[in-house]
């Protein structure tokens, strides 16, 4: 993790650089001016005051290292409010990458195999039923070619009704026209 800071307006002496973390339990001081308090070199701090930067390295990262890591800068001889500053912090989240236990893996494999067999059985049953249904329909149409489908019967009825209606209205309109002409003709002859 890197920490960049500015010493503008501070006394010319080098600032104190420290790293601490806010974990689940309490704040914990990690390193001050390059000296870290951890055992087994868990933390290592390096700094470059000319570049105004400091770095913290966490070695052998484990899930209990999850925390907010904060860099702080302090001017040892100054007491002004701006003489001590901290950064916003860096959130480090470490997840356990342990896989599933061998027993759980075997159980999941067995369940997946059973599910695959079930799906295959349903698929086979569907194919067999659809083929037997289509064969039954073919046999019925092959056995009795005289039988008409419901659609064909409906079409024939519709055509017949249309024909009766069309022929009936055209004959009716001719009769009406003829009657009107005869009536007009009789009234004309009477003068």
């Amino acid at each position: 993790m890197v920490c960049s800071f500015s010493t503008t307006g501070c006394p010319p002496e080098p600032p104190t650089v420290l790293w601490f973390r806010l974990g689940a339990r309490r704040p914990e001081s990690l390193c001050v001016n390059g000296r870290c308090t951890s055992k087994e070199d868990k933390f290592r701090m390096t700094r470059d005051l000319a570049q105004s930067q400091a770095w913290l390295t966490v070695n052998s990262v484990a899930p209990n290292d999850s925390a907010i890591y904060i860099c702080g800068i302090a001017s040892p001889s100054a007491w002004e409010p701006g003489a001590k500053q901290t950064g916003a912090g860096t959130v480090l989240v470490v997840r356990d990458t342990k896989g599933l236990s061998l027993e759980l893996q075997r159980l999941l494999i067995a369940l997946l195999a059973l599910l695959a067999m079930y799906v295959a059985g349903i698929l086979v049953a569907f194919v067999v039923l659809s083929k037997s249904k289509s064969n039954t329909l073919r046999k019925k149409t092959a056995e009795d070619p005289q039988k008409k489908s419901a659609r064909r019967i409906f079409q024939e009825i519709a055509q017949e009704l249309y024909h009766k209606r069309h022929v009936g209205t055209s004959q009716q309109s001719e009769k009406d026209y003829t009657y009107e002409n005869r009536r007009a003709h009789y009234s004309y002859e009477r003068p």
Side-chain angles (χ1 to χ4, degrees):
M1 289 172 254
V2 66
C3 174
S4 298
F5 54 89
S6 172
T7 56
T8 306
C10 294
E13 63 188 342
T16 301
V17 180
L18 58 105
W19 281 93
F20 60 97
R21 70 178 173 181
L22 298 174
R25 292 182 234 147
R26 59 182 169 77
E28 180 182 359
S29 178
L30 302 175
C31 302
V32 177
N33 279 341
R35 291 189 203 124
C36 297
T37 59
S38 66
K39 301 172 188 171
E40 302 172 10
D41 295 327
K42 177 75 173 174
F43 302 102
R44 186 172 57 88
M45 181 180 128
T46 54
R47 60 189 176 154
D48 184 353
L49 297 178
Q51 296 291 323
S52 298
Q53 289 187 331
W55 295 270
L56 178 69
T57 304
V58 182
N59 297 312
S60 303
V61 178
N64 62 353
D65 290 324
S66 296
I68 301 172
Y69 289 79
I70 300 173
C71 171
I73 305 297
S75 180
S77 62
W79 293 97
E80 293 87 24
K84 296 178 183 177
Q85 296 183 4
T86 61
T90 301
V91 177
L92 176 66
V93 177
V94 181
R95 292 194 175 97
D96 192 10
T97 58
K98 225 179 184 183
L100 299 174
S101 69
L102 188 58
E103 292 174 7
L104 189 56
Q105 286 178 359
R106 288 179 180 164
L107 177 65
L108 287 175
I109 290 170
L111 286 174
L112 285 173
L114 287 173
L115 181 63
M117 288 189 300
Y118 174 75
V119 169
I122 295 295
L123 183 61
V124 166
F126 178 73
V127 169
V128 168
L129 288 175
S130 66
K131 283 190 176 186
S132 68
K133 186 175 181 181
S134 65
N135 287 340
T136 304
L137 289 176
R138 285 184 197 147
K139 286 180 183 178
K140 284 183 179 180
T141 55
E143 290 173 359
D144 194 4
Q146 297 294 329
K147 288 186 179 178
K148 296 180 182 178
S149 69
R151 182 176 180 175
R152 181 68 184 148
I153 293 170
F154 177 75
Q155 286 176 341
E156 289 176 2
I157 292 171
Q159 286 176 352
E160 185 178 335
L161 289 174
Y162 176 77
H163 181 67
K164 284 181 182 179
R165 183 175 183 200
H166 179 65
V167 171
T169 55
S170 65
Q171 288 177 354
Q172 180 67 29
S173 62
E174 288 178 13
K175 288 178 184 177
D176 291 342
Y177 180 70
T178 306
Y179 176 74
E180 287 177 12
N181 284 342
R182 287 182 187 159
R183 189 174 192 193
H185 183 61
Y186 289 129
S187 62
Y188 181 71
E189 292 178 359
R190 287 189 184 173

